[in-house]
Amino acid sequence: MQDLQLLIHRIIERININLREPLFDVGPYIRAAVEIDQMAKFYAFYGITTDHPLHFKFNHSSLAGSFFLGKCLVDHSVLYKSDIRGDELKSRGDIYQYDKFNIPVHDDEAIHIKDSFLLKTLVHNFSHDPENLEEFIIQNTAALNYANIHGAPVEGCFLGPFCTVDLTTLHDCVIGSFAYLQTGELSHELIAPGRIWIRSENGYQFNYQFEETILKKYIRLNPGNPPAGLFMDFVESRKDSFQPVFDAAYYKPPTHAPLGSSLSPYAAVKGKTRIGENVLVAQRAYLEDAWLGNGANAQENCYIIDSRLEGDNVTAHGGKIVHALMGKKVFVGFNSFLHGTKENPLTVGEGCIIMPHTIIDLESPLDIPEGYLVWGHIRNHDDLAKHSVSLDDFSKIDGEFKLGAMQFNGNGRTFVADFKHRIEHILEANGAYFEGNKNRGHAQKDSDIAFNTIQPYPEGRLKGIYPTIEILP
Amino acid sequence: MQDLQLLIHRIIERININLREPLFDVGPYIRAAVEIDQMAKFYAFYGITTDHPLHFKFNHSSLAGSFFLGKCLVDHSVLYKSDIRGDELKSRGDIYQYDKFNIPVHDDEAIHIKDSFLLKTLVHNFSHDPENLEEFIIQNTAALNYANIHGAPVEGCFLGPFCTVDLTTLHDCVIGSFAYLQTGELSHELIAPGRIWIRSENGYQFNYQFEETILKKYIRLNPGNPPAGLFMDFVESRKDSFQPVFDAAYYKPPTHAPLGSSLSPYAAVKGKTRIGENVLVAQRAYLEDAWLGNGANAQENCYIIDSRLEGDNVTAHGGKIVHALMGKKVFVGFNSFLHGTKENPLTVGEGCIIMPHTIIDLESPLDIPEGYLVWGHIRNHDDLAKHSVSLDDFSKIDGEFKLGAMQFNGNGRTFVADFKHRIEHILEANGAYFEGNKNRGHAQKDSDIAFNTIQPYPEGRLKGIYPTIEILP
């Protein structure tokens, strides 16, 4: 185990060098994050299909429980139960458009993780850094539980638990727990926990700050301790359901996935769950008494419980939906926590956009009308009034707009159009619009997938470290 | 599946080019051997330990159900449920002694399988070809069910079912079913089914020929059909016991293996089975109500049923022992079939050598005294008299000796000494003499092993073909 300890030490030192300004020591967080013994316990796995580009290279790394798809290179890193999905990368010959630039992509892009520590982290999409098109780089970086690195190359960063960095390039930043960033480029910044910040090149900004006292109930992080709070309790209490799924060599989910759909054998499926056509259920999704309409999807670390999704619903990575009725084409953003109960159910009307990192934790029944933009922390109807605006009204904003702890600046119509455009793109990419042989997306491409499992050296100095592995077509 | 069909076609053409003399068409045997659909169904797997050299490279091949350990390179080949154990290979810096030559080995040896078709075949040991020390080559070769390629580089050969080529270099040969060869170097020969032939550089020869009518009962091979007979029925009827073993990601055998022993999680273990100290049970061994004394072992494709092995027993690859009491240090050679019944049990006395490919299929109880050399086909006490000699008496032979269908030429003492020396070497290599920290062998080295699973492209043109995979330390 000696080598793995040295590797972790080395990663800490490298990140800390980057984080000398803002001065931040990642050591106490990384060391408390997971017991080193656990890192030799779980197999990692990767997918083989004919529909994805293929290149894996794992070099001097520990990969316990992690999953890889597409093109992923890992050097000198510790990846614990993380998901690295290189299935939306740019291809050689693509033209990357940015502002007035049209840059040809000269090689297939790959996700490249170097000298980093990722814990239950999701990495997806492609690098939105126009300066480096062929490499989606994650370097000298630590990310804690359920962080999402989505199209965001990061270097020298600490990403707190349940935070999301989305289509953003980060250098030497510390991102607080449950913060959401979609800001273009940032360096040497310290982002407070629970800050929701969108800053678009199209000229608008969206800002929201969770109250510290509220946030602590859901997620808190103290040096020397693993993350704690309701979010952690929620996922930990359902952990055992994944045991039989990972223990079988060929797990057959108890629910049928019809043609055009794919249900990962590494998803947990319980109760009376129904999967419609063109549905994507990713590995590490959790479905319990869930009704998924045609074209709906459940990404990594999604929990859909006692709920019905009418169709064409996007539930982004880490979204949780409990005791809810979701209308058609409702979008639920990253790591949102939508928690109704039998007594206090949630209904969300057609076409609503639930912003990333929204907490709806009900103490009375709630009915959100169709076509609303929703954010922040909502327990009841009064809270909803302070944390939502109809998309029609939002489109009328031009300039500054404030509501509670939310501030918007810019053109509301552009904001709504950009968001809707992105939702359409996600639905297309996921294969929600598949018909005949057209509009193939992840749901179709993942339906014929084979999984390879890999394990580390089981004993001795190298315990927990994986041999060097390279996979090519 | 198109690519896999082309690959098989190409392999057939390559072997047939080699086998234009003796003129032999391997096509009808290969095509009948296994349905092509089966080849996309099973995962292959390889072992990772810190105790073995490590290098795997799989290139444009189909590997369904096969296992790899140590150093194994596979190009343009079809390996179906085969075992490729590169854990007894020569190391860089070793001195290879042959006759009066002492040749330094300039690189770690690897098993290299090229343009070949191996079906349920075992490959083990190291190349005994003094002309090519660093590569144990298997090229342009087809081997059928339960063939053993043991330290025997082969090129342009057809190996029939249940045959064994042992410490022998073969060029352009056809080896009949259940033939056993340990002959140094052979080329352009056609070896009859059921021929047992040892020809030593130390100046002796051992020859035995099974009667055709008897052999057909146990194993027969006709072009256009898979092999048939009692041997095939025996293994096929026990196939289902391996299902749960291969279906689990982490299978835990129901029997405890004490310190110094290793029980592969890919062995089938049933009934009241007991494993002693320093015992090696390899993947694809089958144990049912088996009592394995200290230092005993059960190699690949061994079946030990309703039997007791007193200790330091070698059961070579493919040996089957049913309703038998085996004394200490009894050696049972490759693919031997020792079949007692409850009414007609078999007892084998201490230190007996059961020659490779011996059939003892009892119609009355049989007691073989200690210290005997046994071969051929034995149903009862009368048969035993014609197919055994005490090792003491055998040691007195000098010149020609005939008994039934057996012919021996040369010095009996050398033959017995060579055999005993080899048995000691096998016990050492397997770790039977492990004590404290000394004399580590396979039983100890394999006790901490991690298994990686690999799968082929699941659909499309490449269905059944594995991506290019390379594993290094």
Side-chain angles (χ1 to χ4, degrees), chain B residues 46-245:
Chain B
Y46 56 87
I48 301 285
T49 77
T50 41
D51 270 320
H52 294 102
L54 177 66
H55 189 192
F56 301 112
K57 183 157 187 189
F58 309 121
N59 175 33
H60 190 237
S61 295
S62 178
L63 308 170
S66 295
F67 173 65
F68 304 87
L69 186 61
K71 293 205 163 199
C72 314
L73 318 177
V74 182
D75 288 305
H76 311 295
S77 294
V78 174
L79 275 58
Y80 185 81
K81 297 188 180 180
S82 291
D83 291 280
I84 317 300
R85 265 179 63 188
D87 61 352
E88 286 191 4
L89 299 166
K90 298 188 278 288
S91 300
R92 182 188 197 133
D94 285 357
I95 301 294
Y96 188 74
Q97 291 187 307
Y98 184 86
D99 208 357
K100 59 179 190 286
F101 299 92
N102 287 293
I103 320 166
V105 176
H106 65 63
D107 210 349
D108 283 359
E109 185 184 5
I111 296 173
H112 196 171
I113 300 171
K114 284 157 77 172
D115 306 298
S116 291
F117 180 95
L118 306 186
L119 177 73
K120 300 187 182 184
T121 296
L122 170 94
V123 180
H124 194 206
N125 210 259
F126 62 89
S127 167
H128 279 66
D129 180 2
E131 300 166 23
N132 186 2
L133 298 177
E134 289 81 12
E135 199 176 34
F136 177 172
I137 191 108
I138 294 164
Q139 189 168 3
N140 295 6
T141 286
L144 292 196
N145 314 47
Y146 307 102
N148 294 305
I149 300 176
H150 196 259
V154 289
E155 199 200 338
C157 292
F158 175 79
L159 309 182
F162 292 93
C163 85
T164 299
V165 291
D166 189 16
L167 321 181
T168 292
T169 305
L170 294 181
H171 296 277
D172 304 346
C173 290
V174 175
I175 313 299
S177 314
F178 203 54
Y180 173 85
L181 284 186
Q182 186 195 328
T183 58
E185 198 171 337
L186 283 185
S187 54
H188 297 279
E189 296 242 17
L190 207 148
I191 304 294
R195 178 165 185 198
I196 312 300
W197 184 17
I198 299 174
R199 182 179 68 183
S200 168
E201 63 206 57
N202 289 340
Y204 53 78
Q205 279 210 44
F206 179 103
N207 259 295
Y208 176 81
Q209 179 62 57
F210 278 89
E211 274 181 40
E212 201 182 328
T213 47
I214 290 169
L215 194 64
K216 279 191 171 169
K217 178 183 163 192
Y218 294 99
I219 183 70
R220 54 189 182 271
L221 180 67
N222 293 307
N225 292 298
L230 209 144
F231 287 168
M232 289 299 292
D233 299 342
F234 183 89
V235 293
E236 292 289 316
S237 67
R238 286 164 179 87
K239 214 166 66 169
D240 289 349
S241 299
F242 286 95
Q243 187 91 34
V245 163

Side-chain angles (χ1 to χ4, degrees), chain A residues 297-299 302 304 309 313-321 330 332-333:
Chain A
N297 67 68
Q299 300 281 352
C302 281
I304 298 177
L309 278 58
N313 302 70
V314 175
T315 310
H317 311 282
K320 292 161 200 80
I321 299 172
V330 167
V332 176

Side-chain angles (χ1 to χ4, degrees), chain A residues 247 249 452-453 455 468 470 472, chain B residues 247 249 452-453 455 468 470 472:
Chain A
D247 279 355
N452 291 0
T453 63
Q455 294 200 53
T468 303
E470 184 159 23
L472 287 162
Chain B
D247 279 354
N452 291 0
T453 62
Q455 295 200 52
T468 304
E470 182 158 27
L472 288 160

Side-chain angles (χ1 to χ4, degrees), chain A residues 124-257:
Chain A
H124 194 205
N125 209 260
F126 62 90
S127 167
H128 279 65
D129 181 2
E131 299 167 22
N132 187 1
L133 298 177
E134 290 80 11
E135 199 176 33
F136 178 173
I137 190 108
I138 295 165
Q139 189 167 3
N140 296 7
T141 287
L144 292 195
N145 314 50
Y146 307 103
N148 294 305
I149 300 176
H150 196 259
V154 289
E155 198 201 341
C157 293
F158 175 79
L159 309 182
F162 292 93
C163 86
T164 298
V165 291
D166 190 16
L167 320 182
T168 292
T169 305
L170 295 181
H171 296 278
D172 305 346
C173 291
V174 175
I175 314 299
S177 314
F178 203 52
Y180 173 84
L181 284 186
Q182 187 196 326
T183 59
E185 198 171 338
L186 284 185
S187 53
H188 298 279
E189 296 240 18
L190 206 148
I191 305 295
R195 180 168 181 194
I196 311 301
W197 186 14
I198 299 174
R199 184 179 66 184
S200 166
E201 64 206 54
N202 289 339
Y204 54 79
Q205 280 210 41
F206 178 104
N207 259 294
Y208 176 81
Q209 178 63 55
F210 278 89
E211 273 182 43
E212 201 183 326
T213 47
I214 288 168
L215 193 65
K216 279 190 169 169
K217 178 184 162 190
Y218 293 99
I219 183 71
R220 53 188 181 271
L221 179 67
N222 293 306
N225 291 296
L230 209 143
F231 287 168
M232 290 298 293
D233 300 342
F234 183 89
V235 292
E236 291 291 316
S237 66
R238 286 167 178 87
K239 213 166 66 171
D240 289 348
S241 298
F242 286 95
Q243 188 91 34
V245 165
F246 280 88
D247 279 355
Y250 295 113
Y251 184 78
K252 203 176 155 0
T255 298
H256 171 68

Side-chain angles (χ1 to χ4, degrees), chain B residues 330-350:
Chain B
V330 167
F331 172 88
V332 176
F334 295 102
N335 282 348
S336 282
F337 185 76
L338 277 46
H339 198 274
T341 63
K342 199 174 177 185
E343 294 71 33
N344 306 310
L346 171 69
T347 304
V348 182
E350 190 172 330

Side-chain angles (χ1 to χ4, degrees), chain B residues 12-67:
Chain B
I12 291 171
E13 290 296 291
R14 288 193 170 230
I15 303 169
N16 282 353
I17 268 284
N18 280 75
L19 289 178
R20 61 194 186 281
E21 193 222 327
L23 186 64
F24 190 85
D25 178 9
V26 297
Y29 301 96
I30 288 186
R31 286 194 207 94
V34 56
E35 282 175 38
I36 200 160
D37 276 353
Q38 292 290 100
M39 294 185 188
K41 268 193 189 166
F42 307 101
Y43 63 82
F45 55 123
Y46 56 87
I48 301 285
T49 77
T50 41
D51 270 320
H52 294 102
L54 177 66
H55 189 192
F56 301 112
K57 183 157 187 189
F58 309 121
N59 175 33
H60 190 237
S61 295
S62 178
L63 308 170
S66 295
F67 173 65

